[in-house]
Amino acid sequence: MSQTNCRFALHVGLSAISFVKVERHGTSWRLTDSGKSPTQNLNANPEEARKGLQELLQKLAKQAGIAREGIHVSLHNRMCITRVVTGNRLQVDEQLAEITDNSQHYLQLGLGEKLIGHSTVPIDESRQHGQVAIIKRGLIETIDEATEHAGLELLSVDGAMPCICRLAGVAGMDRTPLLLVWMGSVGAEIGISYKGRLQLGYNSRECADPQSTAVTIGRHLKRLRRFCDRYRQVDGRSDLRRVLVIGNSEHAEQLKGLLAQYDFEQVFTLADMSHSELADKLGGRSLDSGGVASALGGLLVHLEADV
């Protein structure tokens, strides 16, 4: 008989925290609970932020029936900067070193010491994919202390867009490059996912609504498609012809309609995840927000052997 255990994950946004609870049975798993709660900015007074997050975590843990469990945390792009590099081993090492050397100057994260985490994985025999995450030390300490006081164990921390890429990979949506458009309150986060890995990501503050977001994507589309042409040696069908739109359902559906003018083969929203290769594991549940999707995507590194 397989043993059942629970895994818990959060996405920390600018004004809300989303959570997912997953039950694992042997090597399989299923989403059993998810939701979202408002919270204060964790970059505010550290002690107040820790107490606020601790109280929220204790409430969620009690609500979800979780105690002394491991927890994964994904962070909004304004709290965790992710940089991606590709090339041969020497090129990737040099670019990672350059990003690390410049990490203390990322003013987007605010003042204070930064922490850097990085990883590399092979693309093929000659090329590697490198990824760097840069986070404020104070923010990590706030999250770590809050989870510990709430009776939980912090397993790992990551940026939101790489988590969405993992989810798209397991869902089978990015076997050819997939354009990601995450509409938020401070502009849109735009990325490219390919086989579960982030290939490119940047924030566009000029994307204030579905209309301006569609115009911006149209303006940058040729450049984004040229970027994808660099991956033809990996996959013969590397054209950027599919899109995943993330955001509240009204805005996502509106943007989906506006993108029809740009000759995309398919434009997905999070609702389409329920009809993907993830369907059984979602247990009939819909991923109703980008935060919930990001939390689940982050947790996949602890659930899927090949992620």
Side-chain angles (χ1 to χ4, degrees), residues 45-275:
N45 179 282
E47 184 60 24
E48 291 181 6
R50 184 193 65 76
K51 288 181 179 178
L53 180 58
Q54 178 184 330
E55 290 173 1
L56 180 58
L57 284 171
Q58 288 172 331
K59 175 184 174 182
L60 291 176
K62 183 177 180 180
Q63 175 184 324
I66 291 178
R68 294 182 295 279
E69 300 287 349
I71 183 172
H72 175 90
V73 174
S74 74
L75 297 171
H76 187 279
N77 66 286
R78 295 291 295 274
M79 300 178 180
C80 176
I81 293 176
T82 303
R83 292 290 179 262
V84 176
V85 298
T86 58
N88 61 41
R89 182 186 296 274
L90 180 59
Q91 291 170 329
V92 168
D93 287 346
E94 289 177 346
Q95 291 178 79
L96 291 179
E98 182 179 354
I99 293 171
T100 299
D101 289 343
N102 293 328
S103 62
Q104 301 303 321
H105 304 294
Y106 280 90
L107 298 181
Q108 175 181 330
L109 297 175
L111 300 176
E113 186 181 356
K114 314 298 189 298
L115 292 179
I116 305 100
H118 62 82
S119 64
T120 57
V121 293
I123 296 175
D124 53 30
E125 292 182 356
S126 61
R127 299 195 309 158
Q128 291 188 333
H129 176 278
Q131 184 171 293
V132 182
I134 306 164
I135 308 171
K136 282 183 66 174
R137 176 184 288 275
L139 177 60
I140 288 290
E141 291 174 347
T142 295
I143 294 172
D144 191 29
E145 290 176 10
T147 52
E148 182 180 359
H149 282 87
L152 302 169
E153 178 189 2
L154 183 62
L155 294 177
S156 50
V157 180
D158 205 351
M161 286 298 268
C163 298
I164 294 291
C165 292
R166 294 189 196 108
L167 195 66
V170 174
M173 289 182 167
D174 66 347
R175 293 192 177 101
T176 59
L178 176 72
L179 180 64
L180 304 174
V181 185
W182 188 338
M183 297 180 58
S185 59
V186 288
E189 184 78 1
I190 296 173
I192 295 175
S193 180
Y194 181 58
K195 294 184 177 178
R197 294 181 189 139
L198 183 66
Q199 306 295 331
L200 175 72
Y202 66 93
N203 180 265
S204 179
R205 296 191 179 186
E206 58 196 22
C207 299
D209 51 42
Q211 290 82 4
S212 59
T213 301
V215 169
T216 300
I217 290 171
R219 189 162 60 243
H220 292 288
L221 197 51
K222 286 185 179 179
R223 187 183 308 167
L224 291 169
R225 284 177 171 159
R226 282 199 301 270
F227 173 86
C228 288
D229 284 342
R230 294 167 53 189
Y231 292 88
R232 286 191 181 278
Q233 59 183 298
V234 179
D235 188 325
R237 293 187 62 239
S238 62
D239 290 339
L240 191 62
R241 299 290 175 184
R242 313 170 99 201
V243 188
L244 173 61
V245 178
I246 305 162
N248 71 55
S249 57
E250 180 182 351
H251 285 170
E253 287 297 331
Q254 190 176 352
L255 180 56
K256 180 177 180 178
L258 291 168
L259 291 177
Q261 63 186 299
Y262 296 121
D263 191 33
F264 287 109
E265 292 176 358
Q266 291 173 295
V267 182
F268 301 109
T269 65
L270 289 176
D272 293 304
M273 291 279 185
S274 300
H275 309 290

